[in-house]
Amino acid sequence: MPLDVKRLRVLRELAERGTVAATAAALSFTPSAVSQQLSALEREAGVVLLEREGRRLALTDAGRVLVAHADTVLAQLERAEADLHAASTEVSGTLNVAAFSSFARSLLPQAAAAMLRHQHLQLHVRDAEPQDSIPLLRLGELDVVIAQRFPYVPRDFGPAFHVVELFDDALHLATGPGHHDAPARFGALADRPWVAGHPGTSCHEVVIHACHAAGHEPRIVGFSNDFAVVAALVAQGVGLALIPEIAHDQAPPEVTLRPLDPPLSRQVLAVVRAGAEERPAVAAFLAELRAVAAGRPD
């Protein structure tokens, strides 16, 4: 019986995450669904891929062999599909795209609109943070993800993905009433209240790590990954925040935005499965993303 590609991706995720629970959380599955997918993959493979060690599932030798080939196999399948599509120069089929919220609001609509000229392409777009969209990209449910890489928070996508760097998006200190005297240096911001992203997200971690690097613990009093919400809280004097340049237009007049000293910026990236970048629809969309990025005002 041939191996199911989605189940092979689940096995690879288990090898990276270590537990069924962590794999389920990464893929937005239930643990039961992960176990069912892995059991079905074992039946397809005809060999035992996993064995129980206490409460954990561990890869057998056969499981490790299969995982070792997974990235190569999956990338080659993507390239094979790309070659098949490339036989026709027409951009067609279905393209599923996700972008983090500030990009989805500001730049994604331009790139999506440019793709409308391809009459035989069905484009589906959504807003989603990388921690939710990257697992769906792994499973083949998305084709392109717009992600972000923050300073102090390294994000290594690994050989399973092809990454295109679009632009650097400067992070500015946002201050409101009661805090306009705050210097734009992390070393001088001890004891100031902060509005940051939700715990576990890069927008949260960058504040934590930047303050730690400056020698103090941030006092975070507000949490949101929506920069309109963040800016509104800053405008009322609730706390300071880091707001990227592409979200400056969401800041009310009460908010002052200043470059940090030293400067900080996040990288905005387009991520696709390795090999898929050669597929005509994906290549066309990546070209539109590059054009939109290049056309941003300085």
Side-chain angles (χ1 to χ4, degrees):
M1 183 183 297
L3 300 179
D4 182 275
V5 173
K6 287 188 178 181
R7 290 169 184 153
L8 189 58
R9 291 190 172 107
V10 172
L11 181 68
R12 181 181 61 187
E13 195 70 27
L14 176 70
E16 292 183 2
R17 302 285 176 175
T19 67
V20 169
T23 301
L27 299 176
S28 299
F29 283 5
T30 64
S32 175
V34 169
S35 296
Q36 291 172 14
Q37 293 290 315
L38 295 172
S39 295
L41 182 62
E42 280 193 321
R43 291 194 296 272
E44 292 169 356
V47 295
V48 177
L49 301 174
L50 300 159
E51 58 188 0
R52 189 157 299 277
E53 291 184 353
R55 296 177 135 186
R56 297 166 59 93
L57 283 178
L59 292 170
T60 63
D61 289 343
R64 283 188 286 273
V65 168
L66 186 55
V67 168
H69 288 285
D71 284 336
T72 301
V73 169
L74 294 170
Q76 191 58 44
L77 285 173
E78 293 287 352
R79 292 188 182 95
E81 183 179 351
D83 287 345
L84 290 173
H85 283 282
S88 169
T89 57
E90 181 181 62
V91 174
S92 60
T94 301
L95 191 69
N96 294 294
V97 176
F100 59 87
S101 59
S102 54
F103 189 97
R105 181 195 59 82
S106 59
L107 297 176
L108 180 62
Q110 300 173 46
M115 296 296 288
L116 294 178
R117 70 178 185 274
H118 301 293
Q119 297 181 358
H120 298 289
L121 177 71
Q122 294 185 37
L123 178 66
H124 302 282
V125 297
R126 70 178 83 172
D127 67 315
E129 295 303 311
Q131 65 267 19
D132 299 318
S133 58
I134 293 295
L136 296 178
L137 182 63
R138 279 188 181 277
L139 291 174
E141 295 181 22
L142 291 172
D143 300 300
V144 183
V145 164
I146 313 303
Q148 51 196 332
R149 182 185 286 135
F150 278 87
Y152 304 108
V153 191
R155 184 189 293 275
D156 181 11
F157 293 94
F161 298 108
H162 174 79
V163 177
V164 177
E165 295 182 0
L166 296 175
F167 60 92
D168 287 341
D169 190 19
L171 300 174
H172 288 176
L173 181 69
T175 60
H179 297 288
H180 287 309
D181 64 328
R185 301 187 310 276
F186 276 96
L189 298 177
D191 300 323
R192 296 277 186 170
W194 283 90
V195 179
H198 290 292
T201 68
S202 296
C203 294
H204 180 89
E205 294 297 319
V206 68
V207 173
I208 297 286
H209 287 289
C211 289
H212 284 179
H216 59 88
E217 188 72 30
R219 181 163 62 91
I220 300 177
V221 299
F223 304 89
S224 178
N225 285 81
D226 183 333
F227 286 113
V229 174
V230 171
L233 291 170
V234 172
Q236 295 299 316
V238 173
L240 315 177
L242 295 181
I243 294 184
E245 195 167 14
I246 63 172
H248 279 195
D249 62 321
Q250 295 187 287
E254 297 84 359
V255 175
T256 299
L257 294 153
R258 286 173 290 157
L260 289 155
D261 179 20
L264 284 182
S265 63
R266 63 177 180 176
Q267 287 183 312
V268 178
L269 315 164
V271 187
V272 303
R273 291 182 300 281
E277 70 275 11
E278 300 171 15
R279 183 177 149 205
V282 172
F285 190 70
L286 291 176
E288 296 300 344
L289 288 173
R290 292 188 185 94
V292 167
R296 292 168 53 248
D298 294 330

